[in-house]
Amino acid sequence: MLTVLLILIPLLAGVITFGLKGAGPKILALLSSIATLGVALVALFQFRANPAATHVSAQWIPQLKANFEVGLDGMAAMLCLLTALAFVLVFVSIFSREYERSASFYGLMLLSQAGLTGVFVAADAMLFYVFWELALIPVYFLCSMWGGERRIPVTFKFFVYTFIGSLFMLVGIIYLYLHAGSFGYQDFIKGAAGLSASDQNWLFWLFFVAFAIKMPIFPLHTWQPDTYEQSPTPVTMILSGVMVKMGLFGVLRWLLPVLPHAAAGWADLVMILSIIGIVYASCIAIVQSDLKRMIAYSSIAHIGLMSAAIFAHNETSLQGVMVQMFNHGINIIGLWIIVDVIEQRLGIRNMKELGGIASKAPKIAIFLVVIALANVALPLTNGFIGEFLMFSGVFQVNVWFMAVAGLGIILSAVYMLNMIQRVIFGESNAVTSNVTDLTAGETFSLTLIVLLIVYLGVYPKPLLELVQGSSQAVLAAFGR
């Protein structure tokens, strides 16, 4: 029942929020997100004690043999926790802010949270697809209604990409359903096992394109920098902190175990594309002057490494990916909160016009340095263990792949340290001399993030143990 509550609380709160006025929407959104985080923590403990107790199944559309079937494994529990935590961090950090049509803004945010959680717990392909769309559709409206000056063409591009990806996935689901006889996860695995090699191959690309667009992976990434730049920053936090994990999760849950032979056959090509994305996005990030676009390209590089590690197909790399999914989400949300603070205070994001913030707002400077160093995987920060495991896993497959992908570490240090230097050090100017430091809500969100960065950097064992079973389950599909 706890698994259902994870979806039900934001879903009901989101619907109710549309009818509220004044400060009601943001208060309900915050209370709902805190309640969902509490349920996520209890569900995590319940999963550790008795995994079967988190599984719920009920008839949904009996004519199609589609069930409302949800449950947790280690990876799903971790991602549900990340989702719940992300929305608390976002709502706390923007609590002092006022949005036009706030009822619609917070209502759509909560509906997106319900969809995201549903994606991570669904054990039925039809249910997975419904939640996939429920997560994406609110984001489309959020970007198009509260975004920047170029929001309409950018959102249209985002819609076209996601629509094509969803269409590809739907065709794949229907084809597998016709062979499996139901939409159940285990039935899909059994049904796909009876398909010919050629059928598995084209089905692989249908699902992979859908997931690769969402991650995004080179060359399907072009919607991402524009969307991140033009979206309202709270939405960008959710897009980059949680929503890109939908694609990675889809590959780990619905692609590799269902179509293992095709996944193994195309692994080298996917790894090459992912590694090209790492180097390409890192180089582009270096020359960016807009903070949002720089962080957007850095995210493409990090996700590229995760994608390459997934297709390395060994326990080391898979554990690294799953751990990094959580840690990257925490770090990137922290960076976006600071970018949002700077943009709200000064009205600019161009690094050429910034500088000297450390002398006027020391708390912003300290948090930015710590989170940026975690983002470049400095040892004893949470980013280190995941990247180390992923590189180790890729090394076991191909040393040259690891060597080229490793350039991403050097390049990420270049653009992150350059950003720190240009934004917070040096002399302040007429604009930055008026910057004010963090509010209580912003300080709370960033403090929580830094505590997680240090705790998981020094003691990653709980997170590694949580995802161990999930990584072994993926490998079992390959007979390893």
Side-chain angles (χ1 to χ4, degrees), residues 376-387:
V376 298
L378 191 75
L380 298 181
T381 66
N382 64 340
F384 175 74
I385 184 63
E387 291 217 356

Side-chain angles (χ1 to χ4, degrees), residues 401-422:
F401 285 179
M402 193 283 291
V404 179
L407 292 173
I409 295 179
I410 301 169
L411 296 172
S412 70
V414 171
Y415 59 72
M416 275 296 164
L417 294 176
N418 181 49
M419 181 268 291
I420 290 172
Q421 175 65 35
R422 297 168 76 179

